[in-house]
Amino acid sequence: IFFVIVLTTVTWILRDTPIWDKHGSAHSLLICGGTFFLLVDFFVWVEKPTVAHCILRPSLVGLGSTMVFGVHVTKFHYILGVISNPRVTESALVNVDSKYIIFEVFKHCTVHLAMIVLHLIWQPEPVVVRVDGRIWEKYMECKYSPWGILANYTMFFHICLILVSSIDCAIRLKLWKKYEFRHYLYLKEELFMELNVVLNAAVVGL
């Protein structure tokens, strides 16, 4: 978590430098923010569950994953929109608009914010579960209402939808790049984005 905070601070300080700004500094900031949420969620899972823990467990995963996955699909969409414009010079690199990325990722996050509201209205309940045949063993888990279960599945489905969309956009950009024989971002960043999408898919698949 400390390392993520340091990276976020460095990115914020350097956000207006030419090379960082052309890459879209919001891209790096959103990934750091999403990673922070996912790391904090680990501690929520290992703690003894309360109502707050039961709400935060799926919420932090949903928001963190949406920020990490959504920033890629948003940036891919932006690049594809620019390079498909006939007015754009073929040799020109794409300058990414950070405001566009922030706005589009926020729209994705509204789905999870709405599901968090459902959890706040129909709050989950921490319950004690005893192991069959071993009455002396017990553990606590979160019991969700039908609306809470619906919220959890909606968040999971939305994360998978974003991930599939990012894979689709990465493939489309790869095919376009093969057709034009050029790179679209500074330092060939789209190669790292494509690798990141593959790694994200592998992690979710596991």
Side-chain angles (χ1 to χ4, degrees):
I1 293 178
F2 175 76
F3 182 65
V4 173
I5 294 175
V6 171
L7 286 178
T8 305
T9 304
V10 173
T11 303
W12 179 259
I13 294 173
L14 299 176
R15 70 188 187 281
D16 292 327
T17 56
I19 187 66
W20 213 290
D21 183 58
K22 292 179 186 298
H23 276 288
S25 54
H27 180 210
S28 302
L29 290 171
L30 287 169
I31 288 180
C32 289
T35 304
F36 178 80
F37 282 151
L38 294 174
L39 292 175
V40 170
D41 187 66
F42 169 79
F43 297 99
V44 177
W45 278 90
V46 298
E47 292 282 342
K48 182 180 178 180
T50 63
V51 173
H53 285 87
C54 293
I55 294 175
L56 287 173
R57 285 178 177 179
S59 302
L60 289 176
V61 171
L63 287 173
S65 301
T66 299
M67 292 171 70
V68 173
F69 300 161
V71 71
H72 290 305
V73 68
T74 300
K75 196 167 183 177
F76 278 134
H77 269 299
Y78 184 85
I79 297 169
L80 289 168
V82 171
I83 63 178
S84 61
N85 187 345
R87 296 181 180 179
V88 176
T89 306
E90 289 189 3
S91 60
L93 294 174
V94 178
N95 293 327
V96 181
D97 186 357
S98 289
K99 292 181 180 179
Y100 173 85
I101 293 179
I102 293 174
F103 180 70
E104 291 298 319
V105 173
F106 176 75
K107 288 198 299 185
H108 285 297
C109 289
T110 54
V111 175
H112 298 269
L113 293 175
M115 297 304 104
I116 293 173
V117 172
L118 285 182
H119 279 308
L120 292 173
I121 297 174
W122 290 278
Q123 295 186 352
E125 178 186 0
V127 296
V128 177
V129 178
R130 295 191 179 273
V131 180
D132 294 336
R134 303 173 68 89
I135 196 66
W136 60 89
E137 291 188 10
K138 61 181 180 180
Y139 61 92
M140 294 190 69
E141 66 177 21
C142 299
K143 183 179 180 181
Y144 294 93
S145 67
W147 284 104
I149 295 174
L150 174 64
N152 290 340
Y153 276 109
T154 301
M155 285 191 281
F156 177 74
F157 174 76
H158 187 251
I159 292 171
C160 293
L161 184 63
I162 293 175
L163 185 58
V164 171
S165 298
S166 64
I167 295 173
D168 174 66
C169 289
I171 294 174
R172 287 167 58 194
L173 184 63
K174 195 77 173 178
L175 294 175
W176 200 295
K177 185 168 57 178
K178 186 177 180 180
Y179 171 73
E180 292 193 341
F181 301 102
R182 71 186 183 98
H183 294 280
Y184 302 107
L185 295 176
Y186 291 87
L187 303 178
K188 302 178 181 180
E189 186 194 1
E190 70 273 10
L191 297 177
F192 298 99
M193 291 175 58
E194 293 165 3
L195 176 61
N196 205 322
V197 167
V198 173
L199 293 176
N200 290 339
V203 170
V204 173
L206 294 177

